[in-house]
Amino acid sequence: MTSRPEFYRFHNGEKAPLPFAHFEYEARLAGLRAIMAETGAGAVVFTSMHNIAYYSGFLYCAFGRPYGLVVTETDCVTISAGIDAGQPWRRCFCDNITYTDWQRDNFWRAVESVAGEGKVVGYEGDHLTLMQRDKLEDFLKPVTMVDLAAATMRQRMRKSAAEIALIRQCTQVADVGGYAIRDAVREGTREIDVAMAGRDAMEIEIAKRFPDAEYRDSWVWFQSGLNTDGAHNPVTARKLERGDILSLNAFPMISAYYVALERTMFVGEVDDASLRIWQANIAAHEYGMSLLKPGVSCAEVTHKINTFFEERDLLQYRTFGYGHSFGILSHYYGREAGLELREDIDTVLEPGMVISMEPMLTLGADQPGAGGYREHDILVITEDGNDNITGYPYGPDFNVVG
């Protein structure tokens, strides 16, 4: 009978171009190994999409199977399922081991072959399930375990020059999507049709700018009328009507990096009540961007914008925080919760951080000016302030369309 191994190396073809040069990944691993030295970890087992992508360049597609990255003092190895064949090796900076489905838990046997037994093992407490944690303990028999989720998050929050250059291109792609969405807005057009126009334009632009990349996960949420009340409401087949409030939301994904462009729009005309709320939210947006500078805490920015809205009797319509970190994250992985503009986040802004300003006011359907109003720009914190890398215009002079 054909031999059926528990795991093996399937280094098929040549390595593909990665999003960053090798020295970028080497620098990230050096930072990780400094964290390991501080915590005493002899091996780290990552299971999340964001940390595996951050340290290796490989973004997995789970479909119910576990994936991992094992880092020791000398080794860095991605662990992937046989269904993906050689693609994980081609798309990672480091070594790769493929595990098979011939028996249960071959994933952990492959992990143990790199990590060994009886060490202090680092893991991600915000991702590892209770079941998989039990298996880690069964197979690796750690002396103890240390949760490195917060430490690795802090490392990812501070972007390198290469990351900022990529994010800058991402925002330019989002602008392309924004203009395509604007051009597609017409009375009688469905939300889904406008969304597809924006998504297609972004994917064409991504393929032009990054011919060696893998393409996945870019999307648009385009909302109208009542559907604007939530920031993450899915697209529908509702047809646009004159006077509708609209929400433009373009999300290009490039090599696991995500950005967002979000704008309030109206079809054809905007009534006085809506214009008043829209202009107030724009004023808060501009004020908030002026506050983003080194040495200021997230909580301090939040409280100042709260006061701005309170003075205008609008704070009760705020629905969530005013912004968050950008980098390796998406709607299903990687949120860097230590860098969010909320009352309970005391993180101090530093040069190299990338953060959004995105105030939103939502008024119910029974109120004048009903709907959700949101503007969203992405800014890089610099030595003496910030650099706004979003280009698509906001406000009624440009965004009363169709």
Side-chain angles (χ1 to χ4, degrees):
M1 180 178 289
T2 301
S3 174
R4 301 198 297 178
E6 296 169 339
F7 53 86
Y8 60 98
R9 283 174 167 82
F10 186 53
H11 296 177
N12 191 38
E14 302 295 327
K15 286 280 193 181
L18 294 178
F20 302 103
H22 276 211
F23 65 79
E24 174 80 12
Y25 295 103
E26 290 165 351
R28 295 177 185 186
L29 287 172
L32 173 61
R33 288 181 172 126
I35 294 170
M36 292 168 64
E38 292 173 4
T39 59
V44 178
V45 179
F46 291 121
T47 51
S48 71
M49 299 181 78
H50 42 277
N51 270 336
I52 293 173
Y54 182 74
Y55 293 109
S56 78
F58 168 57
L59 184 68
Y60 67 74
C61 180
F63 259 99
R65 293 176 170 87
Y67 285 72
L69 173 69
V70 182
V71 179
T72 67
E73 293 179 358
T74 57
D75 294 319
C76 177
V77 184
T78 53
I79 312 295
S80 61
I83 195 170
D84 292 327
Q87 182 264 355
W89 177 77
R90 292 192 297 272
R91 291 287 174 175
C92 76
F93 154 75
C94 52
D95 192 8
N96 169 262
I97 292 177
T98 298
Y99 72 90
T100 68
D101 290 341
W102 309 140
Q103 62 179 332
R104 194 173 300 279
D105 295 330
N106 280 347
F107 169 79
W108 286 107
R109 293 182 180 90
V111 168
E112 190 275 333
S113 73
V114 181
E117 296 182 1
K119 297 179 181 177
V120 176
V121 175
Y123 71 105
E124 298 167 276
D126 60 353
H127 187 267
L128 194 67
T129 66
L130 293 175
M131 181 181 73
Q132 296 293 4
R133 180 187 169 118
D134 288 345
K135 291 185 177 183
L136 185 156
E137 292 178 329
D138 290 342
F139 280 90
L140 304 190
K141 301 176 177 58
V143 175
T144 189
M145 296 173 63
V146 291
D147 184 0
L148 300 185
T152 55
M153 176 192 68
R154 287 191 294 271
Q155 184 182 1
R156 298 195 317 275
M157 277 165 39
R158 297 165 177 85
K159 307 300 186 280
S160 69
E163 286 183 284
I164 291 171
L166 176 62
I167 294 169
R168 189 180 297 273
Q169 289 216 57
C170 291
T171 58
Q172 292 167 5
V173 171
D175 290 342
V176 169
Y179 286 110
I181 290 168
R182 184 180 188 273
D183 290 343
V185 171
R186 298 285 188 279
E187 290 183 55
T189 302
R190 299 178 304 173
E191 288 183 5
I192 182 65
D193 297 315
V194 178
M196 287 190 294
R199 183 203 62 204
D200 290 351
M202 292 193 300
E203 291 189 333
I204 290 169
E205 185 69 15
I206 292 169
K208 181 174 71 175
R209 290 173 179 248
F210 300 93
D212 296 318
E214 296 177 314
Y215 310 119
R216 56 184 288 187
D217 297 331
S218 294
W219 82 104
V220 167
W221 283 324
F222 179 77
Q223 301 133 349
S224 65
L226 184 64
N227 200 30
T228 65
D229 65 349
H232 297 165
N233 294 354
V235 171
T236 75
R238 181 184 182 274
K239 292 182 179 180
L240 309 187
E241 300 175 5
R242 186 170 183 82
D244 271 347
I245 185 173
L246 310 175
S247 188
L248 177 163
N249 308 271
F251 306 110
M253 293 288 296
I254 301 172
S255 299
Y257 281 75
Y258 153 86
V259 302
L261 166 67
E262 300 175 358
R263 292 288 185 257
T264 299
M265 308 173 75
F266 277 79
V267 180
E269 62 185 15
V270 53
D271 63 273
D272 291 342
S274 298
L275 183 61
R276 182 181 71 86
I277 302 300
W278 191 5
Q279 289 176 330
N281 199 57
I282 288 171
H285 180 60
E286 293 176 336
Y287 176 55
M289 289 190 290
S290 75
L291 300 174
L292 299 178
K293 59 187 66 176
V296 179
S297 76
C298 293
E300 184 179 353
V301 172
T302 302
H303 287 303
K304 287 184 175 180
I305 303 175
N306 281 348
T307 298
F308 182 94
F309 277 138
E310 185 69 52
E311 290 172 348
R312 290 154 179 80
D313 194 27
L314 294 171
L315 184 58
Q316 66 270 30
Y317 303 124
R318 171 193 166 193
T319 57
F320 57 91
Y322 293 121
H324 58 85
S325 181
F326 278 79
I328 290 188
L329 76 157
S330 180
H331 53 306
Y332 56 95
Y333 64 81
R335 192 172 185 93
E336 295 164 8
L339 187 56
E340 296 190 5
L341 298 176
R342 294 178 12 166
E343 291 87 344
D344 57 350
I345 304 294
D346 294 323
T347 301
V348 174
L349 300 181
E350 300 175 13
M353 291 179 171
V354 180
I355 192 167
S356 62
M357 175 54 60
E358 48 179 300
M360 180 172 182
L361 299 174
T362 298
L363 280 74
D366 59 342
Q367 297 174 284
Y373 300 77
R374 184 166 74 262
E375 315 297 338
H376 180 299
D377 287 45
I378 294 177
L379 304 100
V380 179
I381 305 301
T382 61
E383 294 293 334
D384 57 359
N386 66 64
D387 179 14
N388 187 342
I389 60 175
T390 294
Y392 183 93
Y394 55 80
D397 290 344
F398 190 75
N399 290 302
V400 178
V401 300

